[in-house]
Amino acid sequence: MKLDQLKVLRAVVETGTVKSAAESLNRTQPAVSQALKALEFQTGTELFDRSGYRLELTAVGRRVYLQSLRVLAEAEDLTQLIRHFEKGQEETITIAIDAAADPNLMTPVLAGLQTRFPDTRVILRAEVLSGAIEAVQSGNAALALAPAIPVMLEEEGFDYMPLAGSVMRNVAAPSLLDAMNTPRTLADLRRFHQVIARDSGQASGLFDRELGVQKGQRRWYVSDLHMKKQLLVAGLGWGRLPEHLIAEELAQDRLRDIVLPHTHLNFEIEVFIFRQRRSAMRPVATHLWDAFAH
């Protein structure tokens, strides 16, 4: 049994006649008839009822036809996959995303990637603080989305583009704010636990210290911002989270800003897309970069 015979079977079923099938396949009618007869010989039974004007599948023919559709679909997928790799397109691409970056910045680009390169596997790697930079530096990620400072990206030799701004807000649950009894200085927060997300990288350079953590502060550590948010909503501590991550909790009064007179706890961040500076990028990574540029 050959794929060519299964393609003929599909064409005859879809068009209803040998003549129409031959036209759709750009073949002669005798060639199509011969392919059908060969397939029927191999199955040992007639696949079509030829008593009417249009060919109708027999019970066995319908089972063979339905199975042939699955075989042809898998064969076409395999052909597409081979062409994908022949063109030098990446089998897998890894993108590092800092937990403070809004993933909605990336979803439209990923939708386009899914359509353009359906056979490339995408790995989205969640990072905190220096983790995204280290992932790109080491080559473990082709691209990264993360808050950064332009001069730092330049010093690392990255190509980079700004994507969006955001605000990191110091928040706590209403119950904890009540227990704090209207704090007025940072020192008033020391006896309440600050929840801190651990750096997923080696915390070198600018990150080689705990930003926004005062000496003597009681603290808990978590590995991701979603766990941090859960603890803050439960009133188990206070801490800083990106605005997009807590918009719903703020609107529902499950979290509130910590406001200290003469102390600015919230701060603005800018999210960048960045990559190693290379003379040539592979097709999928190049497509992603260009998509962000537009």
Side-chain angles (χ1 to χ4, degrees):
M1 188 175 298
K2 300 178 181 179
L3 287 176
D4 181 68
Q5 295 170 341
L6 299 182
K7 290 178 181 178
V8 167
L9 174 63
R10 180 176 63 184
V12 172
V13 173
E14 291 176 351
T15 63
T17 66
V18 171
K19 178 181 178 182
S20 298
E23 291 174 352
S24 69
L25 295 171
N26 197 26
R27 298 186 184 183
T28 64
Q29 292 186 49
V32 170
S33 296
Q34 185 176 359
L36 280 184
K37 289 179 180 179
L39 188 58
E40 288 181 322
F41 176 78
Q42 290 171 353
T43 57
T45 185
E46 290 187 350
L47 302 178
F48 288 96
D49 179 355
R50 294 174 170 82
S51 61
Y53 171 74
R54 289 178 63 90
L55 297 178
E56 298 290 341
L57 287 168
T58 62
V60 174
R62 177 160 295 278
R63 293 183 62 183
V64 172
Y65 168 66
L66 293 176
Q67 183 65 35
S68 72
L69 291 180
R70 290 190 283 270
V71 172
L72 289 171
E74 290 178 0
E76 288 163 3
D77 287 345
L78 179 59
T79 300
Q80 184 178 0
L81 183 63
I82 292 170
R83 288 174 180 168
H84 174 87
F85 295 129
E86 285 177 344
K87 294 176 181 177
Q89 295 163 357
E90 297 94 307
E91 179 181 1
T92 301
I93 188 165
T94 300
I95 306 164
I97 305 179
D98 188 277
D102 188 347
N104 288 322
L105 294 172
M106 173 163 277
T107 48
V109 173
L110 291 179
L113 179 70
Q114 195 174 62
T115 301
R116 178 83 177 271
F117 301 101
D119 295 305
T120 293
R121 292 196 300 267
V122 175
I123 298 173
L124 302 179
R125 175 170 166 162
E127 301 290 351
V128 178
L129 295 174
S130 69
I133 285 179
E134 288 188 10
V136 175
Q137 282 176 328
S138 64
N140 290 324
L143 303 167
L145 260 74
I149 301 171
V151 66
M152 178 176 63
L153 298 175
E154 290 172 5
E155 289 175 355
E156 297 297 336
F158 292 140
D159 290 328
Y160 62 92
M161 292 183 290
L163 295 182
S166 186
V167 178
M168 299 292 290
R169 298 172 66 162
N170 260 294
V171 294
S175 60
L176 185 60
L177 286 172
D178 290 341
M180 289 179 178
N181 193 24
T182 315
R184 299 186 63 82
T185 68
L186 279 172
D188 295 334
L189 302 180
R190 283 180 181 158
R191 64 190 184 92
F192 300 95
H193 288 89
Q194 182 176 358
V195 182
I196 303 163
R198 281 195 177 278
D199 197 323
S200 61
Q202 297 302 310
S204 60
L206 178 66
F207 298 99
D208 195 15
R209 63 190 183 93
E210 290 189 324
L211 300 172
V213 182
Q214 60 182 330
K215 292 182 179 179
Q217 174 67 57
R218 290 178 176 174
R219 62 195 76 177
W220 280 4
Y221 291 93
V222 295
S223 60
D224 66 83
L225 296 192
H226 290 282
M227 175 61 72
K228 180 174 181 175
K229 181 174 75 171
Q230 187 173 347
L231 295 180
L232 298 193
V233 170
L236 297 177
W238 63 275
R240 185 180 289 116
L241 286 169
E243 197 168 45
H244 74 269
L245 195 61
I246 54 174
E248 183 176 335
E249 286 73 19
L250 290 169
Q252 296 174 353
D253 198 36
R254 291 192 289 156
L255 288 175
R256 295 178 188 171
D257 285 303
I258 300 175
V259 180
L260 303 180
H262 314 299
T263 303
H264 188 65
L265 291 179
N266 298 340
F267 67 86
E268 295 182 354
I269 60 173
E270 189 168 19
V271 176
F272 292 83
I273 180 79
F274 54 89
R275 66 181 182 183
Q276 287 189 21
R277 189 168 293 149
R278 297 172 177 168
S279 57
M281 293 285 288
R282 297 185 67 185
V284 179
T286 299
H287 169 81
L288 275 173
W289 185 260
D290 292 343
F292 278 112
H294 295 90

